[in-house]
Amino acid sequence: MPRLPVAERRELLLEAALRVVAAQGIQGATTRAIVAEAGVSLASFHYAFASRDELIAELVNSVIASEELALTRLELRGGSMRDTLREGLMHYFDVLRENPMREKAMFELTQYAMRSPELEPLAKMQYERYYALAEQALDVAAASTGLRWSKPAAELATVLVVLTDGLTIGWLVNRDDAAAHAIIDFAADSLSALAEAA
Amino acid sequence: MPRLPVAERRELLLEAALRVVAAQGIQGATTRAIVAEAGVSLASFHYAFASRDELIAELVNSVIASEELALTRLELRGGSMRDTLREGLMHYFDVLRENPMREKAMFELTQYAMRSPELEPLAKMQYERYYALAEQALDVAAASTGLRWSKPAAELATVLVVLTDGLTIGWLVNRDDAAAHAIIDFAADSLSALAEAA
DNA sequence: GTCTATAACCGGATAGAC
DNA sequence: GTCTATCCGGTTATAGAC
């Protein structure tokens, strides 16, 4: 095995750990499974991390930090608010369909974090990030359509997160694309009804 | 320990198992933790259940069967569709606040089931039950207000489940009652907009 | 820094007396 | 039907050579 600086070894193990969680769940993310996925010896693991718990904490952290990507780069084609929201939600749905297991891993990591007094603040932080992201998306949509929101964007952001969370869970269970599209239409219709002339 | 018929012992263990899952998560629901909670010996466990997996499967099943209770007994005070929906959702929210850990246990059981090829159909079945329950609630609301839905009730039922799922997860993370109320208002407004004169 | 080997422990499941 | 005692596989973590 190549000699790596600790920081790189940690990074390598974190990426492997996320793949294992996605494929087998938190339950299956044993140190052995992770080192096998990373192609690293068990002892090297414990050279890089003091314990499995430390790796999981780091994993939650890193996953939060990288969550932005899904929604930020999105080119809006303009049009009505309804169409703009629909387009954004469809984009989210595409991301979900592309990598369902990663999204499932997110949920599992959040729930796991909520069970640990030490990690629980990270779960809250993850949702703060979601809300901020959603609010930003709503701001962009308002700017793009030339409309403004009739309620505080922060409040609508929590609604948007509720909708995407519910959509995600339901789709992960049923894999019903048609039902997902119906949800997206409902979300776009309902939210766009809360936009008004600037 | 008292001699119990197997059926009662199974019931006892299932109730204990749900308490353990609620308190410590699926991870902590080891056979030993369950028998300790139930005040039963380890061997008695394996007399009642062939394996831990069998108990978990039974638990998912029994939890599905008992899920109806939360929503069915609900007296509607009449009034507008918006108020009727608001009332129903507030009732759900009260149930959630009364026993948050039980609801969290539900999510964890579903996610756990989704990881197991054998239990995965149960996860789907759980959601079918939710949808049926939601549809029934919407029918009752329509009858109570004398209105009818402008879209198929089955489609709106999936929307309602999305909203309650998202509401539940968000509240479990943040415990923000005000945000929950805002969600409930949004849900009641948006759904009631889809009711029309019969 | 990395390795093999092993300690120390915990989990599900079983044996066999009562 | 219930119990105590035990087996056995898998898990985290560590020791010590290289």
Side-chain angles (χ1 to χ4, degrees):
Chain A
M1 281 298 119
R3 277 177 178 249
L4 289 181
V6 182
E8 287 181 33
R9 176 112 308 173
R10 284 170 70 102
E11 193 53 41
L12 194 75
L13 284 165
L14 283 171
E15 286 164 12
L18 183 56
R19 287 197 298 275
V20 172
V21 172
Q24 313 190 28
I26 281 264
Q27 322 250 355
T30 64
T31 53
R32 286 178 146 85
I34 294 167
V35 299
E37 172 73 26
V40 158
S41 81
L42 185 56
S44 289
F45 176 96
H46 282 290
Y47 184 83
F49 290 97
S51 69
R52 178 181 174 274
D53 279 357
E54 185 187 316
L55 174 130
I56 297 289
E58 263 302 297
L59 183 59
V60 173
N61 251 321
S62 72
V63 137
I64 294 172
S66 73
E67 183 64 352
E68 342 254 320
L69 301 174
L71 286 175
T72 39
R73 45 157 148 257
L74 166 62
E75 315 218 340
L76 295 171
R77 275 191 306 243
S80 69
M81 177 58 89
R82 181 186 177 284
D83 288 346
T84 301
L85 290 175
R86 230 183 141 281
E87 196 179 342
L89 288 164
M90 283 300 293
H91 180 255
Y92 171 79
F93 183 51
D94 286 344
V95 170
L96 170 60
R97 285 212 309 182
E98 250 172 54
N99 205 339
M101 285 305 108
R102 187 177 184 282
E103 223 57 37
K104 183 152 169 39
M106 295 300 209
F107 272 109
E108 291 187 9
L109 284 170
T110 306
Q111 288 204 332
Y112 179 86
M114 285 170 66
R115 289 284 181 194
S116 148
E118 176 200 350
L119 265 45
E120 193 265 358
L122 291 180
K124 278 199 168 61
M125 202 189 304
Q126 191 175 358
Y127 268 79
E128 287 310 318
R129 189 80 62 137
Y130 288 159
Y131 295 137
L133 231 62
E135 187 174 342
Q136 180 188 325
L138 290 171
D139 285 344
V140 169
S144 156
T145 56
L147 302 175
R148 70 183 192 87
W149 296 107
S150 63
K151 296 195 177 190
E155 185 180 321
L156 296 183
T158 66
V159 171
L160 184 52
V161 171
V162 161
L163 288 165
T164 51
D165 266 7
L167 170 70
T168 304
I169 290 192
W171 186 81
L172 284 173
V173 172
N174 295 304
R175 306 291 169 123
D176 183 336
D177 290 359
H181 286 129
I183 302 297
I184 289 174
D185 285 343
F186 169 83
D189 287 342
S190 307
L191 283 173
S192 62
L194 299 175
E196 59 191 15
Chain B
M1 277 300 119
R3 280 181 174 244
L4 290 181
V6 182
E8 288 180 31
R9 176 112 308 172
R10 284 171 70 101
E11 194 53 40
L12 193 75
L13 284 165
L14 283 171
E15 287 164 12
L18 183 56
R19 287 196 299 275
V20 173
V21 172
Q24 313 190 30
I26 281 267
Q27 323 250 352
T30 64
T31 52
R32 287 178 151 84
I34 293 167
V35 298
E37 172 72 26
V40 158
S41 81
L42 184 55
S44 289
F45 176 96
H46 282 291
Y47 184 82
F49 290 98
S51 68
R52 177 180 175 277
D53 279 357
E54 187 187 316
L55 174 131
I56 297 289
E58 263 301 298
L59 183 59
V60 173
N61 252 321
S62 72
V63 138
I64 294 172
S66 74
E67 184 66 351
E68 342 254 319
L69 301 175
L71 286 175
T72 39
R73 45 156 147 259
L74 167 60
E75 315 220 338
L76 295 171
R77 274 192 306 242
S80 69
M81 178 58 89
R82 182 186 176 283
D83 288 346
T84 301
L85 291 175
R86 232 184 141 280
E87 197 179 342
L89 288 164
M90 283 299 293
H91 180 256
Y92 171 78
F93 183 51
D94 286 344
V95 170
L96 170 61
R97 285 212 308 181
E98 249 172 55
N99 205 340
M101 285 305 106
R102 186 177 184 281
E103 223 58 37
K104 183 153 168 40
M106 296 300 210
F107 273 109
E108 290 186 11
L109 283 170
T110 307
Q111 288 205 331
Y112 179 85
M114 286 170 65
R115 289 284 182 193
S116 149
E118 175 200 349
L119 265 43
E120 193 266 357
L122 291 181
K124 277 198 170 60
M125 201 189 305
Q126 190 176 357
Y127 268 79
E128 288 311 317
R129 188 80 61 137
Y130 289 160
Y131 295 137
L133 230 62
E135 186 173 343
Q136 180 187 323
L138 289 171
D139 286 343
V140 169
S144 156
T145 55
L147 301 175
R148 69 183 193 85
W149 295 108
S150 63
K151 297 196 175 188
E155 186 181 321
L156 296 183
T158 66
V159 170
L160 184 51
V161 171
V162 161
L163 289 164
T164 50
D165 266 7
L167 170 70
T168 303
I169 291 192
W171 186 82
L172 283 173
V173 172
N174 294 303
R175 306 290 170 122
D176 184 337
D177 290 358
H181 286 127
I183 303 297
I184 288 173
D185 285 344
F186 169 84
D189 287 342
S190 308
L191 284 172
S192 62
L194 299 175
E196 59 191 16

